[in-house]
């Protein structure tokens, strides 16, 4: 049998093929089709099996490209950018995809008690996290925080309109890729694809499993060294997202900063840890991994244990250089050999800085 390994990193996924030593290869195995395209500021890779797989992948990529024009905050002519510019000017009718996206974001914000918050744009700007990075003054942070708060978003389901207070800036970064992955998966399934893996620059979504296999194999990276595998998982009909700072963190005046911010305090989240979430949908995995990184291991695992739809993993490095893995009990379904779960008896793996 052939196995496929996906290296899951805090900011990117590497898709490679690996044969299991000693395994036999069945006669005439179906050949996978692989494609890649630059989308939403990163590379989206896909592997799929079956007749018409190539055309299905291209159609899925086209759907992500279409959504990029809706959700991008980098493109001045996107629907989201136009909505941001209309903040403080009353209710704005939105196209269906944008309204559904914002409705989902508000739902995740409510569910995570604001640990995920689509209105963090002013904090992102205060730290210049899209540029070279800077440490804002306390006055700047207070000013940014006054403009943040998901509950300030006004939704009108009947008119499908959104009202943003003046100064509000919606940031799609913690949900956009997951939302797009779900849309791409719908395209693949609608075209008859039953086995595929989408790798979208830090998040993956699995449909079925490779022929002859029970699941796709993915591996979560070390939180500080994105090219080093920490542990392997098995994934089928689910999405996995890791939030961390191994790729996008930076240093300012000798201070290591992460690119994820806490919407409550306005501070950046610790740069030496990562949070991984497995969920049925890409949107849920994306938003929840961001929220859990903000919550931290103790509060995050308590929150995750109360929700049957997700499995969660925290990785961090202690002062002795040991890599610690702390998980929810449901994580055992994806990595049965991991000793310790639910925050007690965490797996400890020796690492070096």
């Amino acid at each position: 049998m052939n196995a496929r390994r996906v290296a899951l990193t805090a900011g990117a996924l590497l898709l490679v093929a690996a044969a299991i030593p000693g395994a036999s290869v069945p006669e005439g195995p179906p050949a996978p089709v692989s494609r890649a395209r630059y989308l939403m500021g990163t590379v989206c890779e896909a592997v799929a099996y079956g007749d018409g797989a190539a055309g299905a992948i291209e159609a899925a990529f086209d759907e992500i490209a279409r959504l990029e024009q809706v959700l991008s905050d980098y493109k001045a002519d996107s629907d989201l950018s136009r909505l941001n510019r209309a903040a403080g000017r009353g209710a704005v009718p939105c196209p269906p995809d944008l309204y559904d996206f914002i409705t989902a974001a508000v739902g995740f914000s409510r569910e995570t008690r604001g640990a995920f918050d689509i209105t963090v744009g002013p904090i992102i700007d205060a730290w210049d996290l899209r540029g070279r990075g800077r440490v804002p003054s306390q006055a700047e942070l207070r000013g940014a925080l006054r403009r943040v708060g998901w509950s300030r978003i006004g939704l009108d389901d009947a008119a499908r309109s959104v009202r943003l207070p003046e100064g509000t800036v919606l940031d799609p970064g913690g949900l956009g890729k997951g939302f797009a992955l779900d849309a791409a998966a719908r395209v693949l399934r609608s075209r008859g694809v039953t086995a595929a893996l989408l790798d979208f620059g830090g998040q993956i979504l699995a449909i079925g499993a490779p022929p002859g296999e029970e699941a796709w194999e993915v591996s979560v990276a070390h939180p500080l060294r994105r090219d080093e595998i920490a542990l392997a998982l098995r994934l089928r009909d689910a999405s996995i997202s890791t939030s961390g700072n191994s790729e996008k963190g930076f240093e300012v005046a000798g201070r290591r900063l992460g690119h994820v911010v806490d919407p409550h305090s306005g501070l950046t989240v610790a740069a030496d840890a990562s949070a991984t979430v497995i969920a049925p949908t890409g949107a849920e995995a994306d938003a929840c991994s961001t929220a859990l990184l903000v919550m931290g291991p103790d509060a995050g695992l308590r929150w995750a244990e109360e929700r049957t739809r997700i499995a969660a993993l925290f990785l961090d490095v202690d002062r002795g250089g040991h890599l610690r893995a702390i998980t929810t009990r449901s994580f055992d379904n994806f990595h049965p050999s991991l000793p310790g779960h639910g925050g007690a008896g965490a797996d400890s793996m020796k690492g070096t800085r």
Side-chain angles (χ1 to χ4, degrees):
M1 295 182 291
N2 290 331
R4 294 198 169 272
R5 178 181 296 273
V6 180
L8 176 59
T9 74
L13 289 165
L14 177 63
L15 181 63
V16 297
I20 299 177
S24 61
V25 178
E27 293 184 4
V33 175
S34 302
R35 296 288 188 273
R37 191 187 297 184
Y38 189 80
L39 296 160
M40 291 188 172
T42 189
V43 176
C44 186
E45 298 178 76
V47 174
Y49 290 84
D51 296 337
I57 292 174
E58 293 300 330
F61 285 169
D62 289 344
E63 177 68 355
I64 295 176
R66 185 186 69 80
L67 286 175
E68 183 175 5
Q69 187 57 43
V70 175
L71 304 176
S72 174
D73 58 348
Y74 285 89
K75 296 185 176 184
D77 61 343
S78 75
D79 294 314
L80 181 68
S81 293
R82 284 194 287 266
L83 177 61
N84 278 336
R85 288 195 297 271
R89 301 178 186 174
V92 177
C94 294
D97 291 311
L98 180 59
Y99 191 81
D100 290 346
F101 176 79
I102 296 174
T103 300
V106 169
F108 288 127
S109 296
R110 181 182 297 109
E111 180 72 7
T112 63
R113 307 183 188 101
F116 168 85
D117 192 327
I118 194 176
T119 67
V120 295
I123 303 175
I124 300 288
D125 293 340
W127 289 91
D128 191 25
L129 295 181
R130 292 196 183 93
R132 296 183 177 181
R134 59 185 293 270
V135 179
S137 68
Q138 289 299 312
E140 288 175 309
L141 271 186
R142 287 194 296 270
L145 284 169
R146 284 195 291 268
R147 298 158 58 197
V148 172
W150 64 270
S151 61
R152 292 152 45 91
I153 299 175
L155 298 176
D156 186 332
D157 290 341
R160 298 187 72 81
S161 65
V162 176
R163 183 189 302 270
L164 300 180
E166 185 176 358
T168 300
V169 180
L170 302 184
D171 184 282
L175 182 60
K177 285 191 298 184
F179 188 84
L181 275 174
D182 290 335
R186 288 193 292 271
V187 170
L188 291 174
R189 291 188 173 105
S190 72
R191 289 174 170 252
V193 173
T194 58
L197 196 73
L198 289 164
D199 158 3
F200 200 3
Q203 183 173 357
I204 65 172
L205 187 147
I207 297 174
E213 301 290 342
E214 295 183 356
W216 298 90
E217 187 175 326
V218 302
S219 54
V220 182
H222 191 288
L224 299 183
R225 297 184 291 276
R226 62 189 298 267
D227 295 327
E228 180 180 321
I229 293 173
L231 64 135
L233 308 173
R234 295 177 66 76
L235 193 69
R236 181 187 182 109
D237 292 320
S239 182
I240 183 168
S241 174
T242 293
S243 292
N245 295 304
S246 67
E247 181 184 21
K248 295 183 180 179
F250 50 88
E251 287 191 7
V252 176
R255 178 179 173 183
R256 178 71 177 173
L257 302 176
H259 73 286
V260 178
V261 297
D262 183 338
H264 301 301
S265 68
L267 301 178
T268 60
V269 177
D272 59 352
S274 67
T276 296
V277 169
I278 300 174
T281 68
E284 195 167 7
D286 199 1
C288 289
S289 67
T290 299
L292 290 191
L293 189 65
V294 169
M295 292 180 193
D298 293 336
L301 286 173
R302 285 196 300 270
W303 182 87
E305 285 284 16
E306 297 172 355
R307 286 151 180 84
T308 59
R309 286 175 58 86
I310 67 172
L313 159 74
F314 278 92
L315 291 176
D316 66 6
V317 179
D318 64 20
R319 293 182 179 179
H322 293 84
L323 179 61
R324 301 181 301 175
I326 313 173
T327 79
T328 56
R329 291 172 177 82
S330 57
F331 208 82
D332 288 352
N333 297 327
F334 305 93
H335 187 76
S337 63
L338 183 66
H341 49 64
D347 183 29
S348 179
M349 296 171 281
K350 182 65 177 178
T352 57
R353 289 191 179 275

